[in-house]
Amino acid sequence: MADNKTLTYKGRPLMRKDNLVYYGSMADEYIVMLQILETKKEHDVETASKVSVQLQLTDPNAKSRDRVVKKSEKDGFYTALDLGCVWLERALANK
């Protein structure tokens, strides 16, 4: 039996590459990109203190600046992820 190590949040995949986290599926019309801008050390663990959130179109034909539908900056990773989750749910529901 194969190990499935895909990380999900509220039923959607999370993928990380360095300081970027992508939330959602590229098969959908929208995804959320979270960029960790600043970190701080708490109890010997690096935590995100400032995170940029962007709701983006997945259309490969759109220019990169035209893909961004909404953007914001939040203090803390989970605050940013929750905002991105709400944006993504609303955007996918309005298709």
Side-chain angles (χ1 to χ4, degrees):
M1 200 157 116
D3 258 341
N4 188 357
K5 297 202 183 224
T6 302
L7 185 63
T8 61
Y9 179 72
K10 295 189 178 181
R12 300 196 186 279
L14 277 168
M15 295 182 62
R16 181 176 181 178
K17 173 76 170 128
D18 298 324
N19 67 337
L20 295 176
V21 177
Y22 293 96
Y23 175 62
S25 171
M26 288 302 286
D28 291 335
E29 188 176 353
Y30 297 95
I31 61 162
V32 171
M33 183 186 80
L34 303 152
Q35 183 178 15
I36 299 168
L37 302 174
E38 291 179 6
T39 60
K40 64 181 178 180
K41 200 164 197 125
E42 289 183 16
H43 307 289
D44 297 330
V45 176
E46 288 285 326
T47 60
S49 57
K50 186 181 273 187
V51 181
S52 168
V53 186
Q54 292 184 357
L55 177 69
Q56 297 182 350
L57 288 167
T58 57
D59 181 7
N61 298 323
K63 294 179 183 172
S64 61
R65 71 173 181 264
D66 295 337
R67 287 185 191 157
V68 177
V69 177
K70 289 183 179 185
K71 63 182 176 179
S72 180
E73 277 189 16
K74 294 293 175 191
D75 295 328
F77 183 78
Y78 292 106
T79 306
L81 182 58
D82 280 341
L83 176 65
C85 183
V86 170
W87 283 354
L88 187 59
E89 291 295 324
R90 289 181 181 172
L92 293 174
N94 290 332
K95 286 202 283 189

